[in-house]
Amino acid sequence: MREKDYESKGIGCYMFRIDDDTVIDATMHGNAARFINHSCDPNCYSRVVDILGKKHIIIFALRRILRGEELTYDYKFPIEEDKIPCTCGTRRCRKYLN
Ligand SMILES: [Zn+2]
């Protein structure tokens, strides 16, 4: 519902699914990591880590990252019929995010 509400208002949506029951909504509040784009050939990956009973999203580098290089990770969206085109532009692009 919230995602549709943001779309109707033209607000970009920055949500991260933690598990089947929890989604972190960083649309209105969150750090710069919420702006990390998807890539089918990323230089980072994300992990949800439990620290003292509280879940955190941590972004790790997959390889050495050069200064000024855009950070990306694979969003790993579930496969759905309503496809979201991918514009990552890498040679390994799967053409869709889902
Ligand atoms: Zn792609």
Side-chain angles (χ1 to χ4, degrees), residues 61-75:
L62 274 170
R63 59 169 173 75
R64 184 182 172 90
I65 298 171
L66 301 175
R67 180 187 293 195
E69 186 178 350
E70 179 182 3
L71 302 179
T72 59
Y73 65 89
D74 187 338
Y75 287 1

Side-chain angles (χ1 to χ4, degrees), residues 38-41 86-90 92-97:
H38 163 86
S39 174
C40 298
D41 188 17
C86 182
T87 57
C88 77
T90 65
R92 294 182 178 174
C93 184
R94 298 186 302 267
K95 309 298 180 203
Y96 298 101
L97 273 72

Side-chain angles (χ1 to χ4, degrees), residues 4-5 16 28 35 77 80 82 85 88:
K4 287 180 181 169
D5 182 51
F16 190 105
M28 299 308 208
F35 299 116
F77 285 172
E80 296 175 302
D82 192 12
C88 77

